[in-house]
């Protein structure tokens, strides 16, 4: 158990509404990640963070923003949700750094449906 | 060309059989390699890291061929509980990010 929780676990919303997903970790890991998973595409990186207030874009960042004001929380915001953002969202952490890369551990996921 | 490619399957094999998956990666600067397992409607979980010399964990054996840029996973004496999607994962040197293959779906039949 990597001590990662996500909230909400399920959400249904309407097009055009803002949505914020929360990832919370209890083990003071430096790196946190947001992915989306869709059939035919696998897991794709949206944004990641390498420290408090330090974030960077992934391959599918358009339409998403993130914030990390505390080590333990990484928030993903859809400013104006669209149907194309219907997906399963996973948060992940790693304690990686330095010359070697450590594996990632995932939260349980959030199923988001945008109508 | 995708950075990490896997045969999506599905693979349907009888219980007790040996099954092998391959995965190819395109970036020769890839440094770390992993196999993850994902059950239906669950999060991916690390199955094993893949080392240059190859490594084994019980019924699971992982191999890395850097020259040909592929990774393999062998499952011996397959169990019903091995039914899942297996994800090939690669890290690029210097990048604190992972690249995931689409996954190979495996079903073990009684």
């Amino acid at each position: 158990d990597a001590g990662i929780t996500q909230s909400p676990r399920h959400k249904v919303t309407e097009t055009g509404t803002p949505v914020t997903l929360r990832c919370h970790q209890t083990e003071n890991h430096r790196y946190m990640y947001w992915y989306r998973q869709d059939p035919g595409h696998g897991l794709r990186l949206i944004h990641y963070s390498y420290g408090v207030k330090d974030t960077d874009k992934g391959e599918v960042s358009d339409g998403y923003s993130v914030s990390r004001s505390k080590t333990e929380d990484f928030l993903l915001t859809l400013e104006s949700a669209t149907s194309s953002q219907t997906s399963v969202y996973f948060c992940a952490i790693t304690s990686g750094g330095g010359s070697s890369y450590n594996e990632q551990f995932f939260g349980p996921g959030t199923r988001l449906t945008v109508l | 060309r995708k950075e990490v490619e896997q045969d999506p399957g599905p693979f349907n094999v009888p219980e007790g059989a040996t099954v092998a998956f391959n995965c190819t990666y395109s970036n020769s600067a890839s440094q770390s390699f992993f196999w993850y397992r994902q059950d239906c409607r669950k999060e991916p979980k690390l199955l094993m890291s893949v080392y240059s010399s190859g490594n084994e964990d019980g019924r699971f054996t992982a191999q890395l061929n850097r020259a040909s840029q592929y990774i393999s996973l062998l499952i011996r004496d397959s169990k019903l509980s091995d039914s899942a999607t297996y994800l090939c994962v690669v890290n690029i040197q210097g990048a604190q990010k992972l690249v995931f293959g689409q996954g190979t779906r495996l079903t073990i039949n009684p």
Side-chain angles (χ1 to χ4, degrees):
Chain A
D1 184 1
I4 309 167
T5 57
Q6 292 184 231
S7 59
R9 294 292 313 280
H10 302 270
K11 187 170 182 66
V12 179
T13 191
E14 294 188 349
T15 298
T17 59
V19 176
T20 295
L21 309 182
R22 179 181 184 237
C23 177
H24 179 78
Q25 54 128 337
T26 59
E27 298 183 7
N28 207 37
H29 295 289
R30 178 182 173 192
Y31 290 87
M32 300 183 75
Y33 305 80
W34 276 109
Y35 293 89
R36 60 177 290 174
Q37 187 173 37
D38 305 288
H41 291 280
L43 278 157
R44 293 181 291 174
L45 182 65
I46 305 172
H47 282 279
Y48 68 103
S49 170
Y50 45 97
V52 173
K53 298 188 178 178
D54 292 323
T55 64
D56 205 352
K57 295 179 179 180
E59 64 178 298
V60 290
S61 58
D62 288 348
Y64 301 95
S65 62
V66 290
S67 65
R68 192 168 179 199
S69 58
K70 300 184 290 184
T71 299
E72 58 266 36
D73 289 325
F74 191 32
L75 304 180
L76 177 71
T77 297
L78 292 65
E79 300 291 347
S80 178
T82 67
S83 57
S84 64
Q85 293 176 311
T86 292
S87 187
V88 180
Y89 291 85
F90 288 104
C91 174
I93 59 91
T94 183
S95 55
S99 60
S100 64
Y101 186 79
N102 297 328
E103 55 274 10
Q104 291 183 6
F105 298 93
F106 288 81
T110 294
R111 294 189 172 273
L112 176 68
T113 302
V114 183
L115 301 176
Chain B
R1 181 184 174 187
K2 294 181 180 177
E3 289 191 77
V4 180
E5 295 204 57
Q6 295 181 250
D7 181 345
F11 285 62
N12 290 282
V13 301
E15 191 175 9
T18 295
V19 60
F21 308 135
N22 287 329
C23 162
T24 59
Y25 60 95
S26 60
N27 192 325
S28 59
S30 299
Q31 184 179 36
S32 303
F33 309 89
F34 309 94
W35 284 101
Y36 278 72
R37 171 197 168 118
Q38 186 172 24
D39 294 297
C40 187
R41 302 178 74 85
K42 298 287 189 180
E43 72 272 24
K45 292 186 177 180
L46 178 69
L47 178 66
M48 57 196 304
S49 301
V50 185
Y51 304 120
S52 296
S53 55
N55 48 300
E56 189 174 307
D57 183 1
R59 298 181 293 108
F60 298 84
T61 301
Q63 295 281 350
L64 169 63
N65 185 318
R66 286 189 183 272
S68 300
Q69 294 184 200
Y70 80 79
I71 308 153
S72 65
L73 177 68
L74 182 76
I75 305 175
R76 293 182 299 278
D77 188 24
S78 54
K79 311 292 185 190
L80 296 176
S81 57
D82 294 334
S83 296
T85 296
Y86 290 84
L87 305 173
C88 175
V89 186
V90 172
N91 164 248
I92 309 301
Q93 184 177 10
Q96 288 296 332
K97 296 182 286 187
L98 296 179
V99 179
F100 289 78
Q102 288 191 41
T104 298
R105 182 182 293 181
L106 172 66
T107 299
I108 306 299
N109 301 307

